[in-house]
Amino acid sequence: MLTASMDPTKCLADRKRTNVSIPWPVPSAQTLLRLEQRSPVFKCWTESYTSLVTRMSFLMDIPPPQRIQKFEQCCLERNLLPTTAHAYWTAFLTTKTALGEIPTMEDKRFAKLLLQRSSVFPAAHPMPAELHHVEKMVRDFPKKMGLLCALAFSLGQRLGDVLQLAKHDIQIDQQFILITVRRGKVVPHIGPYVLTMERNFWLSRELWNLREQTTSQFLWTENNSTKERELLELQLRRMITAVDPRLEIRSLRRGGLQRMAASGFPMDTVILFSKHKTTQMLLRYLNWGAASYHRNVQMANVVSSVSQYVTCAL
């Protein structure tokens, strides 16, 4: 019978999250060898997901009766949110399938329990970064780090996606700088997409200078390996938290998109940057505050346009 040691009323979402990184248990060499010899169908996994599945494979070395208890203990030690815990357990079930083992009914019931916790305590959106936060990052961070944060904020992109830009992804077209996003979270689903900046914009000039000065293929890493990106993101996470403890890496994207919406740009334009599937999804991501402000700006512009002649008459 399934027993859950984590009380949903004392959910991880209510616990104060820390920036302490606790290493995960290391799987046995035999389990790793079995993963390396898995069916070729799993070679379609992304590198990051393969890393996650490998990370969860340590549970295969634990007897089934103790697996769930050990997993919950690891989640509590790392203050994982319910949505993250559900994603990690799903990765473990994928590991079992990859190794030719069928998930048990107990495994599936626990996955259902984690999913229920996720719906009761949904993932909290990060606090959006403000312009003064980004200005401080540009001013205080090393130049490449500051440029990376400013680019993610200004384009409303995931910092991890910007981190994977290569030199050939940056091109000049007349008065524009074209940025082609070829690697990232949504690229496998929608394909590469292009973002545009004015060529004379200071951020465009700095980005082009970085492109010309970089000797490696990629702008921020040597070969775009998962290990390189994880180390760089860990360093950035600490630096961003030092600017404001309430900020996260995701704060840059959300803050940039909220600023676009608050500036009065149509949602059809903002969604070109966010790449949400629908406007409704974008509005939920922006939060009702930004959506209401965007609506107020549009209505105010309409009223001003209609009443300008009345004002002149007065």
Side-chain angles (χ1 to χ4, degrees), residues 159-171:
L159 189 141
D161 295 354
V162 179
L163 195 58
Q164 299 185 68
L165 289 176
K167 292 180 66 174
H168 67 272
D169 295 332
I170 314 299
Q171 301 294 333

Side-chain angles (χ1 to χ4, degrees), residues 12 18 38 45 55 57 82-83 86-87 93 136 140 143-144 151 175 206 216 222 256 258-259 282:
L12 301 177
T18 64
R38 64 183 180 269
W45 289 344
R55 181 187 299 169
S57 62
T83 48
H86 177 257
L93 297 184
K136 182 174 177 59
D140 297 346
K143 190 171 183 179
K144 287 182 67 172
L151 204 59
Q175 72 268 35
E206 293 294 337
S216 61
E222 287 295 327
Q258 280 199 358
R259 189 170 179 83
L282 172 59

Side-chain angles (χ1 to χ4, degrees), residues 24-25 58 70-80:
W24 286 86
F58 77 94
K70 178 63 175 178
F71 177 78
E72 290 185 315
Q73 177 186 348
C74 290
C75 291
L76 286 171
E77 290 173 349
R78 291 157 183 80
N79 293 320
L80 297 186

Side-chain angles (χ1 to χ4, degrees), residues 86 91 112 184 186 286:
H86 177 257
K112 186 176 180 179
V186 300
L286 290 176

Side-chain angles (χ1 to χ4, degrees), residues 171-178 196-200 204:
Q171 301 294 333
I172 289 181
D173 179 28
Q174 297 180 358
Q175 72 268 35
F176 300 111
I177 290 286
L178 304 181
T196 307
M197 294 193 300
E198 290 186 11
R199 184 174 178 178
N200 293 327
S204 301

Side-chain angles (χ1 to χ4, degrees), residues 254 257-259 261-262 267 283 285-296:
R254 186 160 184 252
L257 292 174
Q258 280 199 358
R259 189 170 179 83
M267 287 298 165
L283 288 174
Y285 182 78
L286 290 176
N287 201 338
W288 288 112
S292 298
Y293 186 84
H294 177 259
R295 179 199 61 201
N296 292 340

